[in-house]
Structures are given as C-alpha cells and as structure tokens.
C-alpha cells in the first residue's frame, strides 16, 4: 500500500538554528501534502497545504516565514522551522494524497525539541 | 469554523469489553467523517469513514454511524482486544478544493488482558 516516509523521526536543535523535515511519498505521486502540528493531548492542527510546484497555503495564525514549506516534486515536501525557539518544540506530521478525493496517507511524525 | 469534539481519554477497558468513543462535530454543509487510529510508534491510519448521513463505516469490528440529527459519529466495537490499544482520532473533511481534514484531540484506548 501507499507509504509516506517522514525524516527525521526525532531531532534536537538549539535555539536560533533551523531544522528541515522531509516528507516523501514512496510509491505514489502526491499532488497535495499537508503539514500538521500536534501538541500534547491536543488535536492535530493543520499548518499548511502544499501543492506541487506552487506556494503553500498557510492556515490562519501560522507564520509562513517561520515555517517554510517547499513542495518541489511530486514525491517530496519539506518543512523548515527557521530560527527555532523552545515553543516550536512539538510533533510535526505530514500527510499526502494522490489527488482531490484520494485517501490521505500519513507519515510517522517528527518529534522536534528545541533547547 | 468547522470543529470536532471527542471524549477525553484515557479509556481503559478489559479485553472483550464494549467500546464507545464519542465524537461530535460542527460544520457548515455536509462533511465526510472519519476515524483514524495511531498505534504506538506508527503513523495515523484510516480506520473507517462515512460520507453522508446515515452511512455506517465499519472495519476490523469497529463501527460508526453518521448521525446528522445529532451531529455525531461515535466509534463502537463490541469486543475489544489488547491489540486495539492505540490513540483514536475523529476527523471531518469539509470538502472543496483542498478537502482538508480537521481532527479531534484524540482518545487513548488502553485494553488490559
């Protein structure tokens, strides 16, 4: 079945540095990818919708200059957390689908800890 | 805006007990409704879905019925197993061009032998 690979699974970085998270669709071409953030005991909050070859659409309240999303190919989207701060520590999850009403496939998530 | 509310966990049950996890939603229009499951150390997986009122989604012994009159989509299973221990997320998709998913907070289910 369809698989979405997310890398790294966990990362620790220092305040002020940038961290890149990759989301790859392994056996299908994903026209759309979504990035979510999950706080402890809270729901997955949609951060942005990424369409291949175009700029990402960010949800209200998400800083696009802080959370840079690139969807350069049909199999890869990246989320870069720039100038990370401890409050950016969270669990980030990507999902991908082939087209409009296709099922969504999720990555295993990335645990980011900013010290 | 659209939202999903589900019961807080953790829910702790003995093996073979009956499970209900409540989920209600608020949405304009007619959303599709989903239950996702996240087993320890794994990504979210679609468990079941329903796309219109009175539809019943079912999979692996789990069921949920789309109730428009009560705006609910409660998850049920008649006899849980230890292997059902996971976090369960209720979600809705509002449709449209992006058809993005909106999730509830998740409910941790722990089944004891």
């Amino acid at each position: 079945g369809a698989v979405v690979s997310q890398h790294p699974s966990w990362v620790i970085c220092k305040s002020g540095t940038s961290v890149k998270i990759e989301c790859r669709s392994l056996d299908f071409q994903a026209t759309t990818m979504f990035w979510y953030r999950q706080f402890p005991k809270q729901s997955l909050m949609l951060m942005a919708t990424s369409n291949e070859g175009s700029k990402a659409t960010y949800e209200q309240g998400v800083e696009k200059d802080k959370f840079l999303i690139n969807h350069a190919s049909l199999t890869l989207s990246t989320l870069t957390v720039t100038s990370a701060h401890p409050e950016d520590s969270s669990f980030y999850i990507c999902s991908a689908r082939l087209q409009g009403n296709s099922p969504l496939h999720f990555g295993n998530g990335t645990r980011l800890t900013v010290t | 805006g659209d939202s999903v509310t589900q019961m807080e966990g953790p829910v702790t049950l003995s093996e073979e007990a009956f499970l209900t996890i409540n989920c209600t939603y608020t949405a304009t229009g007619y959303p599709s409704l989903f239950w996702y499951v996240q087993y320890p150390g794994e990504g979210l997986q679609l468990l079941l879905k329903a796309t219109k009122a009175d539809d019943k989604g079912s999979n692996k012994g789990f069921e949920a019925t789309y109730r428009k009159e009560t705006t609910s989509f409660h998850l049920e299973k008649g006899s849980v197993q230890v292997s059902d221990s996971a976090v369960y997320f209720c979600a809705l998709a509002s449709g449209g061009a992006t058809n993005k998913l909106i999730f509830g907070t998740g409910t941790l289910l722990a089944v004891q032998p």
Side-chain angles (χ1 to χ4, degrees):
Chain A
V3 175
V4 173
S5 174
Q6 197 171 333
H7 178 79
S9 55
W10 60 271
V11 58
I12 300 173
C13 71
K14 294 185 176 181
S15 287
T17 61
S18 295
V19 174
K20 180 184 285 188
I21 302 169
E22 293 186 348
C23 180
R24 293 181 183 272
S25 56
L26 297 185
D27 57 359
F28 69 102
Q29 294 185 324
T31 56
T32 306
M33 290 185 172
F34 300 89
W35 286 95
Y36 290 86
R37 181 174 179 177
Q38 185 179 26
F39 295 96
K41 298 185 180 180
Q42 294 190 29
S43 64
L44 280 72
M45 304 293 293
L46 180 64
M47 299 174 65
T49 302
S50 167
N51 291 298
E52 186 268 338
S54 61
K55 291 184 178 180
T57 302
Y58 290 81
E59 296 298 303
Q60 192 172 10
V62 178
E63 298 177 60
K64 61 181 180 181
D65 294 331
K66 180 165 187 63
F67 298 99
L68 300 179
I69 292 172
N70 185 299
H71 192 163
S73 76
L74 284 171
T75 59
L76 174 65
S77 177
T78 60
L79 167 67
T80 301
V81 183
T82 63
S83 187
H85 290 281
E87 57 264 32
D88 298 326
S89 299
S90 192
F91 195 58
Y92 294 87
I93 302 174
C94 75
S95 66
R97 68 170 181 232
L98 175 60
Q99 59 190 19
N101 290 317
S102 301
L104 269 180
H105 301 282
F106 286 81
N108 284 357
T110 297
R111 173 72 60 191
L112 170 63
T113 301
V114 184
T115 61
Chain B
D2 296 351
S3 66
V4 175
T5 302
Q6 64 182 102
M7 63 187 290
E8 288 190 24
V11 174
T12 304
L13 296 173
S14 298
E15 209 164 19
E16 299 183 0
F18 184 86
L19 168 71
T20 300
I21 300 178
N22 290 337
C23 171
T24 57
Y25 67 91
T26 302
T28 55
Y30 304 96
S32 294
L33 302 174
F34 305 82
W35 278 99
Y36 281 82
V37 58
Q38 186 176 30
Y39 297 103
E42 299 184 17
L44 274 75
Q45 303 173 27
L46 178 64
L47 179 61
L48 53 85
K49 68 176 182 181
T51 58
K52 61 183 188 295
D54 300 324
D55 266 4
K56 177 186 286 186
S58 61
N59 186 26
K60 299 181 180 180
F62 291 89
E63 291 183 342
T65 301
Y66 190 143
R67 301 286 188 199
K68 186 171 180 291
E69 63 276 14
T70 55
T71 61
S72 65
F73 193 54
H74 304 321
L75 182 68
E76 297 181 335
K77 186 173 185 179
S79 176
V80 294
Q81 305 299 314
V82 172
S83 58
D84 293 326
S85 298
V87 180
Y88 292 82
F89 292 90
C90 185
L92 70 81
S94 52
T98 58
N99 203 22
K100 57 190 180 187
L101 280 178
I102 297 170
F103 286 89
T105 54
T107 302
L108 173 63
L109 170 65
V111 180
Q112 299 174 337

